[in-house]
Amino acid sequence: MNEDIKDKIKGIIFGQAIGDALGLGTEFLTKKQVAELYPDGYDYYDQMVRDKHRKRWAIGSWTDDTDQFLCVLDSLIENQTIDELDIAKRFKHWLDSNGMGIGQTTYKVLTLPQYEKQPKKGAKLIWKIKKKSIAANGGLMRNSIIGTYKFWDTDEVIRNSISICELTHYDPRCKDSCAIVSSLIAAELNFQPISWDELNISLDGYDKRIKEYTISPNDKIENLRLDESDSLGYTLKALNAGIWSYYNSNNFRESLLKIILEGGDADTNGCIVGSLLGAKFGYKSIPSQWIDGLLGKDILEKKTAIYLEKLEHLMTSNQ
Ligand SMILES: [Mg+2]
């Protein structure tokens, strides 16, 4: 595996965590509130307003999004295969060990008595109880690592993305959001990035609500309406933020901040945008200040190195 690929994968992992940790600073705020609370701007963890919601986390911490992402990464490291029941067990264990910030759908699914034995059955049940109307971003927020696993086999990447999403989120819009972001990430790792025109055409192959909802990257960022309160945790909102940023970005720092300063579900949007930008520009493009201030930096560094080693081994034995 060449060094550029390794740098991109490291960029995805750190981009996810940094987007999450910085995004916490504007999570659940409107764009107007962001401007009022941060009159001198916001671009570093320690500027974060310590209100009731945010002070639960230490400065520079990531939240539930990356905690669950690491459940998937740890399982991949340990098993070197997609072991759905093992991942489900790790999600449940995370919640039982006082996991903070969990979304409603994930909570309802993980607390079902039979969850660890039949996670997908539970996810499907909750989806049906909610009359198939809820499509939250909890599957997408932890998904970017799947785009890296066996990235050379894009069909498998898509299958895996859908399959891991189904462990908590059964709605087709959730699964398709994961498949789309994973495809963009895997394409970057194969040095065959998907153009906006190609992506736009491929959207016809997904749930039709996706194309209806997706705005063109030529539209203004305001049209993402990220701080609209009635659709805050919607998977297509986070997907849209990811797509828009991916095609509008020239650099990691500016593009991530742009999305975060829009408020809304900013930590989750930050994860998706941060990991996509990490795939596009690599770890080397991430400001060192953001890496150094990340509380779990050393753990992440260690996990990334082990994962890269295992992935490289898988890649060689596949050839
Ligand atoms: Mg969160």
Side-chain angles (χ1 to χ4, degrees), residues 150-174:
K150 294 194 180 172
F151 62 85
W152 51 89
D153 182 346
T154 43
D155 291 340
E156 181 162 355
V157 165
I158 289 173
R159 275 197 305 274
N160 290 339
S161 262
I162 292 171
S163 175
I164 303 302
C165 183
E166 284 175 342
L167 293 175
T168 50
H169 290 68
Y170 216 83
D171 191 279
R173 288 165 291 177
C174 299

Side-chain angles (χ1 to χ4, degrees), residues 20 27 63-65 101 141 265 267-268:
D20 187 356
E27 188 189 11
T63 73
D64 60 317
D65 311 54
M141 71 182 194
D265 202 349
D267 62 331
T268 294

Side-chain angles (χ1 to χ4, degrees), residues 4-12 188-189 191 278-280 282:
D4 285 341
I5 299 178
K6 290 183 186 171
D7 189 72
K8 278 176 179 283
I9 294 176
K10 198 170 174 186
I12 292 160
E188 276 292 343
L189 297 176
F191 300 101
K280 188 171 176 179

Side-chain angles (χ1 to χ4, degrees), residues 232-284:
L232 217 56
Y234 188 27
T235 189
L236 297 189
K237 188 135 274 197
L239 174 68
N240 235 346
I243 293 174
W244 190 92
S245 283
Y246 177 70
Y247 290 110
N248 272 301
S249 56
N250 298 311
N251 104 27
F252 187 96
R253 183 189 147 85
E254 272 172 33
S255 300
L256 181 60
L257 282 177
K258 214 180 236 179
I259 284 294
I260 284 175
L261 294 175
E262 290 292 302
D265 202 349
D267 62 331
T268 294
N269 297 336
C271 289
I272 292 146
V273 170
S275 55
L276 278 165
L277 297 173
K280 188 171 176 179
F281 302 116
Y283 176 79
K284 60 180 180 308

Side-chain angles (χ1 to χ4, degrees), residues 146-213:
I146 307 294
T148 70
Y149 179 70
K150 294 194 180 172
F151 62 85
W152 51 89
D153 182 346
T154 43
D155 291 340
E156 181 162 355
V157 165
I158 289 173
R159 275 197 305 274
N160 290 339
S161 262
I162 292 171
S163 175
I164 303 302
C165 183
E166 284 175 342
L167 293 175
T168 50
H169 290 68
Y170 216 83
D171 191 279
R173 288 165 291 177
C174 299
K175 299 188 228 181
D176 285 353
S177 303
C178 291
I180 292 165
V181 170
S182 294
S183 305
L184 289 172
I185 287 179
E188 276 292 343
L189 297 176
N190 290 304
F191 300 101
Q192 290 173 328
I194 299 167
S195 70
W196 162 245
D197 287 342
E198 286 170 321
L199 182 77
N200 196 22
I201 291 167
S202 79
L203 292 182
D204 290 325
Y206 292 101
D207 187 290
K208 69 174 187 355
R209 288 165 287 186
I210 294 193
K211 194 156 191 173
E212 286 164 12
Y213 201 86

